Amino acid sequence: FPYTTLFRSREIVEPKYDAVREFSGGRAWVRKNEEWGLIDKLGREIVEPKYDAVREFSEGHAWVNKGCIEDEIGNCIGGRWGLIDTSGREIINPIYDFTWDLTGGWSWVVANAKWSLIDDRGFELLKPKIEFIQYFDDGYAWFMVDCVNDYEVYDGFCTDGKYGLVDSSGRIIVEPILKNRPGYRDWE
């Protein structure tokens, strides 16, 4: 059934959408004919419904998916993820297999079984692509290349790879040559 959103007893979203998520930052995701779009607090469409899946905004940006199919519990399977800002402008075209919410202006992304770290403008921090990266801690993160088993990569483990260390500016502190990951403070 169509949703209607009321604001102080005034209808602001016409009952033409199948679903309307809660407003946040003056924006709300709306669903029509199995596709998601974005409206402002006056009910005006910022992005017409065209995405198969969407995530909530984080640090002024949201991941959007084209081509996925929802499973029985609402998970998005397949497709490619891209990044938009609150104006609806696509910062990154949908090219990633997996993405994580922005944290401190950075996000982990996976494309073709290779990990990378990008900023909120789409700039890739690490090249060539890596196969696993850990969260930054005090401005440093361990990453791995040459992993053996891709399945384990997605579970957060990488077997028989080589470790390297990168700082938050993208500068490689330790080239990926180490078989075991020491604590990063060992390199200070």
Side-chain angles (χ1 to χ4, degrees):
F1 63 92
Y3 277 71
T4 300
T5 300
L6 299 176
F7 182 72
R8 294 191 181 135
S9 300
R10 183 173 65 91
E11 182 180 87
I12 60 168
V13 179
E14 296 177 41
K16 64 180 183 177
Y17 298 110
D18 303 321
V20 178
R21 291 190 183 164
E22 289 187 35
F23 279 85
S24 175
R27 306 282 188 260
W29 290 110
V30 293
R31 189 170 187 170
K32 182 177 183 180
N33 299 326
E34 303 297 317
E35 294 183 324
W36 290 96
L38 191 64
I39 62 169
D40 67 13
K41 61 184 175 182
L42 298 176
R44 296 180 297 217
E45 280 188 1
I46 297 169
V47 176
E48 67 181 46
K50 64 180 180 179
Y51 297 112
D52 297 309
V54 294
R55 294 200 187 133
E56 298 305 319
F57 279 87
S58 171
E59 299 185 11
H61 297 80
W63 290 104
V64 293
N65 187 294
K66 287 209 161 212
C68 83
I69 299 171
E70 285 188 4
D71 66 11
E72 63 277 355
I73 58 171
N75 293 320
C76 180
I77 308 298
R80 300 278 187 194
W81 293 93
L83 189 68
I84 67 168
D85 63 16
T86 56
S87 73
R89 182 173 63 98
E90 278 191 1
I91 306 299
I92 301 170
N93 292 327
I95 58 172
Y96 294 110
D97 301 316
F98 300 98
T99 60
W100 283 258
D101 288 339
L102 288 167
T103 303
W106 298 97
S107 176
W108 281 269
V109 294
V110 176
N112 302 317
K114 300 290 184 187
W115 290 55
S116 189
L117 189 63
I118 61 167
D119 70 9
D120 55 10
R121 298 166 295 161
F123 173 76
E124 288 188 350
L125 177 66
L126 295 172
K127 289 183 182 179
K129 303 251 190 214
I130 59 174
E131 292 158 349
F132 175 72
I133 189 165
Q134 295 178 328
Y135 286 99
F136 278 95
D137 183 12
D138 290 335
Y140 298 94
W142 288 102
F143 66 94
M144 289 189 83
V145 298
D146 301 332
C147 293
V148 172
N149 187 334
D150 285 343
Y151 177 78
E152 291 186 31
V153 171
Y154 294 117
D155 284 346
F157 298 101
C158 182
T159 58
D160 296 330
K162 296 176 187 165
Y163 283 97
L165 183 69
V166 64
D167 70 13
S168 58
S169 72
R171 185 171 56 107
I172 293 179
I173 305 300
V174 177
E175 291 292 329
I177 58 171
L178 304 173
K179 284 290 192 183
N180 296 307
R181 183 188 71 90
Y184 71 80
R185 288 184 173 84
D186 296 341
W187 296 94
E188 294 183 318

